[in-house]
mmCIF file of all heavy atoms in Angstrom:
data_model
loop_
_atom_site.group_PDB
_atom_site.id
_atom_site.type_symbol
_atom_site.label_atom_id
_atom_site.label_comp_id
_atom_site.label_asym_id
_atom_site.label_seq_id
_atom_site.Cartn_x
_atom_site.Cartn_y
_atom_site.Cartn_z
ATOM 1 N N LYS A 20 0.351 13.313 2.193
ATOM 2 C CA LYS A 20 -0.444 13.824 3.289
ATOM 3 C C LYS A 20 -0.367 12.841 4.473
ATOM 4 O O LYS A 20 -0.116 13.305 5.628
ATOM 5 C CB LYS A 20 -1.907 13.998 2.861
ATOM 6 C CG LYS A 20 -2.708 14.842 3.767
ATOM 7 C CD LYS A 20 -4.094 15.033 3.193
ATOM 8 C CE LYS A 20 -4.742 16.237 3.822
ATOM 9 N NZ LYS A 20 -6.060 16.504 3.304
ATOM 10 N N THR A 21 -0.388 11.559 4.240
ATOM 11 C CA THR A 21 -0.271 10.582 5.287
ATOM 12 C C THR A 21 1.105 10.582 5.855
ATOM 13 O O THR A 21 1.293 10.556 7.074
ATOM 14 C CB THR A 21 -0.594 9.176 4.771
ATOM 15 O OG1 THR A 21 -1.886 9.195 4.169
ATOM 16 C CG2 THR A 21 -0.562 8.131 5.866
ATOM 17 N N LYS A 22 2.145 10.668 5.001
ATOM 18 C CA LYS A 22 3.558 10.679 5.432
ATOM 19 C C LYS A 22 3.844 11.872 6.340
ATOM 20 O O LYS A 22 4.499 11.729 7.367
ATOM 21 C CB LYS A 22 4.452 10.712 4.238
ATOM 22 C CG LYS A 22 5.911 10.543 4.591
ATOM 23 C CD LYS A 22 6.729 10.481 3.331
ATOM 24 C CE LYS A 22 8.207 10.350 3.666
ATOM 25 N NZ LYS A 22 9.063 10.375 2.481
ATOM 26 N N SER A 23 3.276 13.049 6.031
ATOM 27 C CA SER A 23 3.555 14.221 6.865
ATOM 28 C C SER A 23 2.879 14.095 8.232
ATOM 29 O O SER A 23 3.355 14.657 9.204
ATOM 30 C CB SER A 23 3.027 15.518 6.149
ATOM 31 O OG SER A 23 1.625 15.527 6.051
ATOM 32 N N ARG A 24 1.782 13.322 8.365
ATOM 33 C CA ARG A 24 1.213 13.089 9.693
ATOM 34 C C ARG A 24 2.030 12.080 10.525
ATOM 35 O O ARG A 24 1.955 12.126 11.709
ATOM 36 C CB ARG A 24 -0.189 12.568 9.530
ATOM 37 C CG ARG A 24 -1.161 13.741 9.311
ATOM 38 C CD ARG A 24 -2.602 13.194 9.389
ATOM 39 N NE ARG A 24 -2.980 13.026 7.972
ATOM 40 C CZ ARG A 24 -3.830 12.082 7.528
ATOM 41 N NH1 ARG A 24 -4.336 11.199 8.363
ATOM 42 N NH2 ARG A 24 -4.155 11.989 6.290
ATOM 43 N N LEU A 25 2.827 11.231 9.864
ATOM 44 C CA LEU A 25 3.607 10.247 10.569
ATOM 45 C C LEU A 25 4.900 10.753 11.081
ATOM 46 O O LEU A 25 5.519 10.179 11.945
ATOM 47 C CB LEU A 25 3.813 9.026 9.648
ATOM 48 C CG LEU A 25 2.571 8.261 9.189
ATOM 49 C CD1 LEU A 25 2.935 7.193 8.240
ATOM 50 C CD2 LEU A 25 1.852 7.722 10.430
ATOM 51 N N THR A 26 5.408 11.819 10.511
ATOM 52 C CA THR A 26 6.669 12.357 10.908
ATOM 53 C C THR A 26 6.493 13.834 11.393
ATOM 54 O O THR A 26 5.553 14.504 10.929
ATOM 55 C CB THR A 26 7.745 12.395 9.782
ATOM 56 O OG1 THR A 26 7.166 13.171 8.695
ATOM 57 C CG2 THR A 26 8.017 10.983 9.280
ATOM 58 N N ARG A 27 7.358 14.260 12.238
ATOM 59 C CA ARG A 27 7.297 15.664 12.651
ATOM 60 C C ARG A 27 8.719 16.176 12.880
ATOM 61 O O ARG A 27 9.656 15.409 13.028
ATOM 62 C CB ARG A 27 6.474 15.847 13.884
ATOM 63 C CG ARG A 27 7.033 15.272 15.157
ATOM 64 C CD ARG A 27 6.113 15.670 16.337
ATOM 65 N NE ARG A 27 6.546 15.134 17.598
ATOM 66 C CZ ARG A 27 7.500 15.625 18.353
ATOM 67 N NH1 ARG A 27 8.170 16.756 17.929
ATOM 68 N NH2 ARG A 27 7.829 15.144 19.515
ATOM 69 N N ARG A 28 8.890 17.488 12.850
ATOM 70 C CA ARG A 28 10.179 18.101 13.008
ATOM 71 C C ARG A 28 10.642 18.019 14.516
ATOM 72 O O ARG A 28 9.777 17.918 15.394
ATOM 73 C CB ARG A 28 10.131 19.533 12.584
ATOM 74 C CG ARG A 28 9.850 19.653 11.116
ATOM 75 C CD ARG A 28 9.736 21.138 10.756
ATOM 76 N NE ARG A 28 9.181 21.298 9.477
ATOM 77 C CZ ARG A 28 9.925 21.570 8.357
ATOM 78 N NH1 ARG A 28 11.167 21.766 8.449
ATOM 79 N NH2 ARG A 28 9.306 21.679 7.196
ATOM 80 N N THR A 29 11.916 18.081 14.699
ATOM 81 C CA THR A 29 12.469 18.104 16.005
ATOM 82 C C THR A 29 12.378 19.544 16.540
ATOM 83 O O THR A 29 12.832 20.444 15.895
ATOM 84 C CB THR A 29 13.927 17.630 16.029
ATOM 85 O OG1 THR A 29 13.962 16.339 15.455
ATOM 86 C CG2 THR A 29 14.496 17.628 17.415
ATOM 87 N N ARG A 30 11.859 19.696 17.750
ATOM 88 C CA ARG A 30 11.756 21.030 18.317
ATOM 89 C C ARG A 30 12.869 21.213 19.322
ATOM 90 O O ARG A 30 12.953 20.489 20.324
ATOM 91 C CB ARG A 30 10.395 21.239 18.965
ATOM 92 C CG ARG A 30 10.226 22.659 19.490
ATOM 93 C CD ARG A 30 8.811 22.999 19.781
ATOM 94 N NE ARG A 30 8.803 24.413 20.144
ATOM 95 C CZ ARG A 30 7.697 25.049 20.438
ATOM 96 N NH1 ARG A 30 6.555 24.448 20.430
ATOM 97 N NH2 ARG A 30 7.786 26.321 20.766
ATOM 98 N N ILE A 31 13.734 22.194 19.061
ATOM 99 C CA ILE A 31 14.863 22.483 19.898
ATOM 100 C C ILE A 31 14.637 23.824 20.594
ATOM 101 O O ILE A 31 14.344 24.814 19.967
ATOM 102 C CB ILE A 31 16.185 22.525 19.123
ATOM 103 C CG1 ILE A 31 16.421 21.148 18.473
ATOM 104 C CG2 ILE A 31 17.368 22.966 20.037
ATOM 105 C CD1 ILE A 31 17.612 21.106 17.521
ATOM 106 N N VAL A 32 14.727 23.797 21.946
ATOM 107 C CA VAL A 32 14.604 24.996 22.787
ATOM 108 C C VAL A 32 15.995 25.356 23.244
ATOM 109 O O VAL A 32 16.630 24.547 23.912
ATOM 110 C CB VAL A 32 13.649 24.793 23.942
ATOM 111 C CG1 VAL A 32 13.568 26.031 24.791
ATOM 112 C CG2 VAL A 32 12.199 24.391 23.393
ATOM 113 N N CYS A 33 16.464 26.548 22.959
ATOM 114 C CA CYS A 33 17.802 26.975 23.363
ATOM 115 C C CYS A 33 17.729 28.176 24.278
ATOM 116 O O CYS A 33 17.091 29.163 23.926
ATOM 117 C CB CYS A 33 18.669 27.258 22.141
ATOM 118 S SG CYS A 33 20.376 27.674 22.550
ATOM 119 N N ILE A 34 18.338 28.056 25.421
ATOM 120 C CA ILE A 34 18.327 29.159 26.418
ATOM 121 C C ILE A 34 19.774 29.361 26.906
ATOM 122 O O ILE A 34 20.639 28.524 26.705
ATOM 123 C CB ILE A 34 17.417 28.875 27.587
ATOM 124 C CG1 ILE A 34 17.868 27.619 28.356
ATOM 125 C CG2 ILE A 34 15.969 28.768 27.115
ATOM 126 C CD1 ILE A 34 17.098 27.366 29.636
ATOM 127 N N SER A 35 19.967 30.475 27.560
ATOM 128 C CA SER A 35 21.308 30.709 28.205
ATOM 129 C C SER A 35 21.079 31.778 29.287
ATOM 130 O O SER A 35 20.012 32.383 29.414
ATOM 131 C CB SER A 35 22.323 31.175 27.228
ATOM 132 O OG SER A 35 22.019 32.474 26.752
ATOM 133 N N ASP A 36 22.133 31.971 30.080
ATOM 134 C CA ASP A 36 22.190 33.064 31.050
ATOM 135 C C ASP A 36 20.992 33.041 32.030
ATOM 136 O O ASP A 36 20.462 34.107 32.337
ATOM 137 C CB ASP A 36 22.302 34.404 30.340
ATOM 138 C CG ASP A 36 23.573 34.503 29.575
ATOM 139 O OD1 ASP A 36 24.616 34.759 30.151
ATOM 140 O OD2 ASP A 36 23.539 34.237 28.329
ATOM 141 N N THR A 37 20.659 31.889 32.526
ATOM 142 C CA THR A 37 19.589 31.821 33.511
ATOM 143 C C THR A 37 20.115 32.203 34.909
ATOM 144 O O THR A 37 19.319 32.589 35.764
ATOM 145 C CB THR A 37 18.938 30.422 33.547
ATOM 146 O OG1 THR A 37 19.929 29.418 33.705
ATOM 147 C CG2 THR A 37 18.107 30.136 32.295
ATOM 148 N N HIS A 38 21.419 32.091 35.156
ATOM 149 C CA HIS A 38 22.061 32.553 36.373
ATOM 150 C C HIS A 38 21.237 32.172 37.651
ATOM 151 O O HIS A 38 20.813 33.087 38.390
ATOM 152 C CB HIS A 38 22.297 34.055 36.356
ATOM 153 C CG HIS A 38 23.302 34.464 35.291
ATOM 154 N ND1 HIS A 38 24.647 34.388 35.513
ATOM 155 C CD2 HIS A 38 23.137 34.988 34.074
ATOM 156 C CE1 HIS A 38 25.274 34.805 34.445
ATOM 157 N NE2 HIS A 38 24.375 35.151 33.548
ATOM 158 N N ASN A 39 21.030 30.909 37.880
ATOM 159 C CA ASN A 39 20.323 30.400 39.049
ATOM 160 C C ASN A 39 18.822 30.571 39.020
ATOM 161 O O ASN A 39 18.138 30.208 39.974
ATOM 162 C CB ASN A 39 20.860 30.994 40.366
ATOM 163 C CG ASN A 39 22.291 30.632 40.656
ATOM 164 O OD1 ASN A 39 22.751 29.584 40.229
ATOM 165 N ND2 ASN A 39 22.976 31.512 41.308
ATOM 166 N N CYS A 40 18.265 31.107 37.985
ATOM 167 C CA CYS A 40 16.829 31.240 37.872
ATOM 168 C C CYS A 40 16.201 30.031 37.159
ATOM 169 O O CYS A 40 16.771 29.545 36.183
ATOM 170 C CB CYS A 40 16.452 32.513 37.136
ATOM 171 S SG CYS A 40 16.952 34.012 38.011
ATOM 172 N N THR A 41 15.081 29.591 37.683
ATOM 173 C CA THR A 41 14.327 28.595 36.963
ATOM 174 C C THR A 41 13.228 29.351 36.176
ATOM 175 O O THR A 41 12.615 30.234 36.685
ATOM 176 C CB THR A 41 13.679 27.561 37.904
ATOM 177 O OG1 THR A 41 12.843 28.242 38.822
ATOM 178 C CG2 THR A 41 14.775 26.793 38.646
ATOM 179 N N VAL A 42 13.094 28.977 34.916
ATOM 180 C CA VAL A 42 12.150 29.722 34.059
ATOM 181 C C VAL A 42 11.224 28.765 33.393
ATOM 182 O O VAL A 42 11.518 27.607 33.208
ATOM 183 C CB VAL A 42 12.929 30.537 32.994
ATOM 184 C CG1 VAL A 42 13.763 31.649 33.594
ATOM 185 C CG2 VAL A 42 13.831 29.642 32.172
ATOM 186 N N LYS A 43 10.010 29.236 33.090
ATOM 187 C CA LYS A 43 9.082 28.418 32.372
ATOM 188 C C LYS A 43 9.459 28.407 30.889
ATOM 189 O O LYS A 43 9.756 29.410 30.290
ATOM 190 C CB LYS A 43 7.651 29.068 32.511
ATOM 191 C CG LYS A 43 6.580 28.136 31.922
ATOM 192 C CD LYS A 43 5.214 28.629 32.161
ATOM 193 C CE LYS A 43 4.290 27.748 31.424
ATOM 194 N NZ LYS A 43 2.944 27.790 31.834
ATOM 195 N N LEU A 44 9.513 27.187 30.342
ATOM 196 C CA LEU A 44 10.017 26.986 29.014
ATOM 197 C C LEU A 44 8.934 26.386 28.135
ATOM 198 O O LEU A 44 8.099 25.662 28.589
ATOM 199 C CB LEU A 44 11.229 26.046 29.022
ATOM 200 C CG LEU A 44 12.429 26.541 29.834
ATOM 201 C CD1 LEU A 44 13.426 25.459 29.983
ATOM 202 C CD2 LEU A 44 13.003 27.795 29.211
ATOM 203 N N PRO A 45 9.013 26.696 26.822
ATOM 204 C CA PRO A 45 8.053 26.078 25.900
ATOM 205 C C PRO A 45 8.336 24.558 25.722
ATOM 206 O O PRO A 45 9.446 24.121 26.006
ATOM 207 C CB PRO A 45 8.284 26.830 24.587
ATOM 208 C CG PRO A 45 9.694 27.321 24.672
ATOM 209 C CD PRO A 45 9.991 27.555 26.143
ATOM 210 N N PRO A 46 7.345 23.833 25.252
ATOM 211 C CA PRO A 46 7.555 22.384 25.076
ATOM 212 C C PRO A 46 8.592 22.199 23.902
ATOM 213 O O PRO A 46 8.777 23.024 23.024
ATOM 214 C CB PRO A 46 6.210 21.859 24.699
ATOM 215 C CG PRO A 46 5.446 23.054 24.200
ATOM 216 C CD PRO A 46 6.019 24.238 24.903
ATOM 217 N N GLY A 47 9.238 21.029 23.944
ATOM 218 C CA GLY A 47 10.201 20.680 22.844
ATOM 219 C C GLY A 47 10.721 19.313 23.055
ATOM 220 O O GLY A 47 10.400 18.618 24.022
ATOM 221 N N ASP A 48 11.568 18.878 22.183
ATOM 222 C CA ASP A 48 12.198 17.577 22.245
ATOM 223 C C ASP A 48 13.599 17.683 22.880
ATOM 224 O O ASP A 48 14.021 16.810 23.603
ATOM 225 C CB ASP A 48 12.381 16.980 20.825
ATOM 226 C CG ASP A 48 10.980 16.871 20.164
ATOM 227 O OD1 ASP A 48 10.146 16.176 20.676
ATOM 228 O OD2 ASP A 48 10.822 17.503 19.112
ATOM 229 N N VAL A 49 14.297 18.786 22.514
ATOM 230 C CA VAL A 49 15.668 18.949 22.989
ATOM 231 C C VAL A 49 15.792 20.345 23.637
ATOM 232 O O VAL A 49 15.299 21.343 23.105
ATOM 233 C CB VAL A 49 16.673 18.881 21.779
ATOM 234 C CG1 VAL A 49 18.082 19.158 22.192
ATOM 235 C CG2 VAL A 49 16.542 17.583 21.036
#
Side-chain angles (χ1 to χ4, degrees):
K20 196 174 199 179
T21 305
K22 187 177 179 183
S23 68
R24 277 188 262 145
L25 297 175
T26 60
R27 69 174 179 81
R28 296 177 193 257
T29 303
R30 184 164 186 179
I31 299 173
V32 176
C33 186
I34 61 172
S35 70
D36 297 279
T37 53
H38 294 280
N39 296 330
C40 295
T41 57
V42 294
K43 185 174 176 161
L44 299 171
D48 303 300
V49 177

